[in-house]
Amino acid sequence: MSLFDDQLSLFSSSSISGAADLFWGELEGEDSPLPSPIAETPLVIPQTDFRLMGTRGLATSWKDRARDNIAAIKLLDTLETEDRNATPDEQAVLSRFIGFGAGELANALFPRAGEPYRAGWESIGKELVAACNEADHAALARSTQYAHYTPEYIVTAIWDMLMKRGFQGGSVLEPGCGVGQFIALRPERLEGRVAFTGIEMDSIAARIARKLFPKQWIRHEDFTKAVLATTYDLAIGNPPFSNRLVNAADHRELRGFSLHDWFIARSIAALRPGGFAAFVTSRHTLDKTDQKARQHIAEDADLLGAVRLPAGAMRSDAGTEVVLDLLVFRKRMIGELPGDQAWLETALVPDSDEGHGPLSINRYYLDNPAQVLGRHGWAGSQFGLDYCCLPVSGVDLETALPEALARIAPESRFLLPVEQRITRPELDGLRVGTAASGADLKEGSYYLHNRVLHQIIGGAGQEVPIRKGDQKEGLFRKHARIIEALIPVRDAAKALLRAQMDNQPFGRHQHRLRQTWQSFTRQFGPINLTNITVRVNATTGEETESRRRPNLQPFYDDPDVWLVSSIEEYDEATQTARPGPLFTERVIHAPVEPEIHSAHDALAVCLHDAGRVDLPLIAELTGCSVEDALNALGEAVYLDPEASSPGRDVWVATDELLSGAVRTKLAAARDAALRDPRFARTAAALERAQPEDLRPSDITARLGAPWLPVSDIMAFTHEVEGSKNP
């Protein structure tokens, strides 16, 4: 039985509303035809989790891979329209979706505004536009910088290493799961013994993953805003590579971490003591000179070992030349002393100075050179010459990688899995998260499943205990009945507000809200029923007043309690209530989504949302590289000479740079330009913004002005009075 056999859906119909659908078309704003009472019997396909045997059989050309992507998107639309599971053959089609992160796909299918498709790609580009709606197409364009799915040989090697460390199953977290490559390649011995939680922000990838793994918990949400349990046995995956800094309000201890470091640190925090984490990540997690992220991770976990793959290890599958690291962590038991901390530091590569200074890498690789499956060297990048792990002739990565992983802490062992796994709650696809992320259910939300009261605790649903007989633990039965009756009221109100926010017809939702409210008030009276008790102190005669809300108080733990309270207008004098404006009026208007057609549009959105210039975010919003975004912005942004430091560029908008103490800024810019020629552009802009010098006659000095030194005021006073200075 589905959750929605028991309670009102947040966004769809519910059996609780009875014959509400009979009013469809009769209410204000509703003129759609009645649904047909005759429906064909749907094709029943059992839920089966896809398991990849061997490889996906990716096409050899990028054009054919693009066509496979589009075929997967079209099939997904068919499955969702027919509201059914995918057959094994359809799952094979879905599994070949690889996103559009490869340079050949991103550059050919997502041209800049006003530019044509790359020659020979016009028909494929138009087919992609036709296959998905505008929002999904924009999301695919934004995700091109992250959508680099892991090759099968890397995933298989990681699983083999974990199995040799005694992994027997349990709860597994995969942040940024894509379409679930790590889930698809799970070892056969784990079948039925492991519960995956996959979290993916891209809508199409998450929805494909749900069709591939209907028995697992695939959460379509932003991982930086997700509420997680803290008892996972294993965290595994390929976090998105990005230098974008994350400043999530809920995790201040991780503020300022790059996106991939944020994913790793947050995932390790979700592990149980003794749990393992295995990640494919950018080399910058270990190589950056700033140790902040590594030090934070080291507070809870030890790096068991790492393997560095040369550039091009993901070229054939993901179309990227990035240098990869495979990192394996173990979360320490409570009271356990930290292990080797050398991996927190970086050091210089001997004999690597080719006229640009020596290369700097993590000390772990200098102490364990066999874990580098290439050679350290210089190579060209978008930022000029930089470090690169260069391929070595004769090294077969599919053979060398398992051997290198086998050398990582062979004595380490997984704990036995706990019986209580973190499984997908029966929420029928509703998202669990925060209000800011648009989640349907939040931490503390009550809901009904199989007519049993549950509550979201630690990001997952738990049954709410009800007192029976002489028990002293749990809710009173009457309080539970009140909560069960308020749940459909809450859901009807949320559905109505969401319809108004989305600019959809909402008359039917107002009717359902009235039905659920009337059902509650018939049983228990007004939602805001208030009992006022006045007591008089016999000694002092002082009166004290206490108020109790017997119908609302049991619902206080639900984060939407005050939304429920707000829907009715309550009269304390008569203890009666009547429907509020939400029942009959439009109380909110749909927000206007900003249209982003250029880097300047993205800058405006960035300044509004983040309050600062965030180049990686601007690049994401426009679907281009940071370098291209910077070129497109032109004179709209400048390097800040006062806030920037070596290795940390801070960009500001033109109006911020050219206002305030521009003379001081100019001096700082000229000094910075001596070290970094990029600041010459900032200095030139500040020179043009310098105000004319004031003449002495233009300056009025008033005693007490804050810019006058006290010593000058004293000297002036003594001079005027003719007295001697003390």
Side-chain angles (χ1 to χ4, degrees):
M1 182 182 292
S2 165
L3 166 68
F4 297 110
D5 293 329
D6 303 324
Q7 73 176 82
L8 182 65
S9 163
L10 301 191
F11 307 112
S12 60
S13 61
S14 167
S15 59
I16 197 168
S17 59
D21 285 338
L22 296 178
F23 292 88
W24 181 257
E26 299 177 8
L27 300 175
E28 180 183 357
E30 309 279 3
D31 54 4
S32 299
L34 288 169
S36 171
I38 302 175
E40 297 181 2
T41 303
L43 176 65
V44 178
I45 298 172
Q47 287 189 346
T48 304
D49 284 345
F50 175 72
R51 190 165 173 277
L52 183 59
M53 306 294 292
T55 64
R56 290 169 290 176
L58 297 179
T60 55
S61 74
W62 288 113
K63 282 188 177 181
D64 287 337
R65 292 188 186 185
R67 294 186 181 100
D68 286 344
N69 278 351
I70 295 171
I73 293 172
K74 290 180 176 179
L75 176 57
L76 173 66
D77 181 66
T78 299
L79 296 174
E80 291 178 337
T81 300
E82 298 177 1
D83 191 21
R84 64 175 177 85
N85 298 315
T87 66
D89 288 342
E90 289 171 333
Q91 287 181 324
V93 174
L94 295 175
S95 72
R96 286 191 284 273
F97 180 83
I98 62 170
F100 296 89
E104 288 289 335
L105 300 179
N107 296 330
L109 295 176
F110 299 98
R112 297 177 184 175
E115 295 184 1
Y117 291 107
R118 182 176 290 179
W121 288 81
E122 295 89 347
S123 60
I124 299 177
K126 292 177 181 178
E127 189 177 1
L128 174 61
V129 171
C132 53
N133 60 42
E134 185 176 349
D136 284 341
H137 188 271
L140 288 174
R142 288 194 298 270
S143 68
T144 53
Q145 60 181 312
Y146 306 132
H148 303 296
Y149 295 171
T150 317
E152 285 91 341
Y153 79 91
I154 295 178
V155 179
T156 301
I158 292 175
W159 273 122
D160 288 346
M161 181 271 295
L162 295 172
M163 297 299 288
K164 291 175 182 177
R165 302 299 178 276
F167 184 62
Q168 300 180 33
S171 303
V172 180
L173 171 67
E174 185 181 355
C177 66
V179 297
Q181 187 77 332
F182 280 86
I183 307 176
L185 287 166
R186 64 196 180 279
E188 189 173 4
R189 284 182 292 166
L190 295 178
E191 202 64 46
R193 301 168 66 183
V194 65
F196 287 93
T197 300
I199 302 179
E200 174 57 43
M201 186 174 179
D202 179 69
S203 172
I204 288 179
R207 286 151 51 203
I208 288 177
R210 285 176 179 168
K211 295 299 182 182
L212 288 172
F213 312 104
K215 295 183 179 180
Q216 307 304 322
W217 190 10
I218 307 299
R219 297 167 58 174
H220 171 213
E221 58 185 301
D222 184 347
F223 183 67
T224 65
K225 300 175 183 176
V227 176
L228 300 177
T230 55
T231 55
Y232 285 96
D233 298 279
L234 171 66
I236 193 172
N238 177 359
F241 306 161
S242 175
N243 61 351
R244 175 183 170 188
L245 302 182
V246 181
N247 292 294
D250 292 338
H251 300 281
R252 295 186 179 277
E253 72 281 7
L254 306 181
R255 289 178 69 87
F257 285 15
S258 64
L259 190 61
H260 46 273
D261 291 345
W262 201 101
F263 268 58
I264 293 172
R266 182 74 182 93
S267 299
I268 290 175
L271 293 174
R272 60 186 285 215
F276 281 60
F279 288 111
V280 179
T281 185
S282 158
R283 74 169 186 90
H284 295 288
T285 295
L286 290 188
D287 282 358
K288 65 166 63 75
T289 55
D290 185 355
Q291 298 183 12
K292 182 172 63 174
R294 296 195 294 272
Q295 288 173 343
H296 178 85
I297 294 171
E299 292 176 2
D300 294 322
D302 293 320
L303 177 71
L304 298 182
V307 181
R308 176 154 294 180
L309 298 179
M314 292 177 65
R315 181 189 300 118
S316 60
D317 285 71
T320 180
E321 299 290 332
V322 67
V323 175
L324 299 179
D325 279 349
L326 276 60
L327 309 182
V328 183
F329 297 94
R330 176 182 173 273
K331 190 169 184 177
R332 288 191 293 275
M333 302 296 291
I334 297 175
E336 187 176 351
L337 295 177
D340 184 8
Q341 302 283 288
W343 66 281
L344 299 179
E345 303 173 3
T346 57
L348 301 179
V349 179
D351 304 321
S352 62
D353 189 348
E354 298 180 0
H356 306 281
L359 295 167
S360 176
I361 64 171
N362 194 275
R363 265 191 58 186
Y364 174 85
Y365 289 123
L366 295 178
D367 297 339
N368 300 272
Q371 298 302 97
V372 181
L373 305 185
R375 63 179 180 85
H376 308 303
W378 292 90
S381 72
Q382 60 177 327
F383 305 108
L385 285 176
D386 197 3
Y387 168 86
C388 185
C389 183
L390 302 170
V392 175
S393 178
V395 174
D396 178 19
L397 294 181
E398 297 192 26
T399 302
L401 177 58
E403 294 174 352
L405 288 172
R407 292 191 288 267
I408 294 177
E411 74 287 350
S412 296
R413 287 292 178 272
F414 276 88
L415 300 175
L416 292 176
V418 295
E419 292 186 8
Q420 185 65 36
R421 298 175 189 167
I422 301 170
T423 57
R424 176 171 60 90
E426 297 294 335
L427 301 179
D428 203 17
L430 297 181
R431 287 195 295 161
V432 177
T434 64
S437 66
D440 308 309
L441 294 179
K442 301 178 279 292
E443 187 70 13
S445 292
Y446 289 106
Y447 68 97
L448 289 168
H449 172 57
N450 290 337
R451 301 187 183 279
V452 177
L453 185 63
H454 288 68
Q455 188 177 21
I456 302 297
I457 304 293
Q462 295 185 14
E463 184 175 335
V464 176
I466 309 296
R467 295 188 187 186
K468 296 179 181 178
D470 296 332
Q471 292 179 351
K472 296 184 178 180
E473 298 294 328
L475 290 176
F476 290 110
R477 178 66 256 180
K478 180 180 179 181
H479 289 174
R481 288 178 53 237
I482 290 174
I483 293 172
E484 291 167 1
L486 284 176
I487 287 172
V489 179
R490 175 202 67 189
D491 293 347
K494 292 178 68 174
L496 171 54
L497 290 173
R498 182 60 58 85
Q500 292 186 354
M501 283 284 289
D502 293 341
N503 209 25
Q504 298 295 320
F506 53 87
R508 179 177 61 170
H509 297 294
Q510 287 178 327
H511 181 75
R512 286 177 176 164
L513 178 62
R514 183 177 292 275
Q515 282 188 316
T516 57
W517 177 75
Q518 289 175 340
S519 175
F520 179 89
T521 54
R522 278 195 297 265
Q523 297 179 70
F524 304 103
I527 291 174
N528 292 294
L529 178 66
T530 304
N531 294 328
I532 303 175
T533 303
V534 179
R535 291 184 174 86
V536 180
N537 188 302
T539 303
T540 65
E542 182 181 354
E543 293 186 355
T544 58
E545 182 180 279
S546 62
R547 295 167 173 262
R548 289 186 63 256
R549 290 180 161 183
N551 288 343
L552 204 58
Q553 191 166 348
F555 207 58
Y556 276 176
D557 284 345
D558 193 286
D560 293 305
V561 58
W562 301 115
L563 168 64
V564 173
S565 172
S566 70
I567 68 170
E568 69 176 19
E569 296 180 352
Y570 178 70
D571 186 342
E572 286 188 357
T574 61
Q575 290 193 321
T576 58
R578 61 188 180 89
L582 186 60
F583 288 78
T584 55
E585 302 174 15
R586 180 170 199 143
V587 297
I588 57 175
H589 290 274
V592 178
E593 289 293 327
E595 295 186 7
I596 299 175
H597 301 291
S598 67
H600 293 274
D601 294 340
L603 173 63
V605 173
C606 178
L607 292 173
H608 179 273
D609 294 346
R612 58 186 174 84
V613 176
D614 186 339
L615 285 178
L617 175 59
I618 293 171
E620 178 184 342
L621 293 173
T622 52
C624 66
S625 67
V626 170
E627 186 178 14
D628 289 342
L630 190 57
N631 291 334
L633 288 172
E635 296 183 356
V637 295
Y638 288 91
L639 271 175
D640 187 335
E642 296 177 308
S644 298
S645 59
R648 179 175 177 268
D649 292 341
V650 177
W651 295 83
V652 294
T654 303
D655 55 354
E656 180 179 349
L657 176 76
L658 303 182
S659 60
V662 291
R663 296 187 187 277
T664 304
K665 292 180 181 180
L666 176 58
R670 286 171 174 168
D671 289 342
L674 298 176
R675 302 185 301 272
D676 187 339
R678 294 181 301 164
F679 285 98
R681 175 173 170 268
T682 303
L686 285 166
E687 287 172 355
R688 295 191 296 269
Q690 294 298 302
E692 292 184 8
D693 291 335
L694 293 177
R695 295 169 298 177
S697 59
D698 296 328
I699 302 173
T700 300
R702 297 181 182 275
L703 291 180
W707 56 272
L708 285 177
V710 174
S711 59
D712 288 355
I713 296 176
M714 293 176 63
F716 172 76
T717 303
H718 289 300
E719 180 180 337
V720 171
E721 293 179 350
S723 60
K724 297 181 179 179
N725 290 334

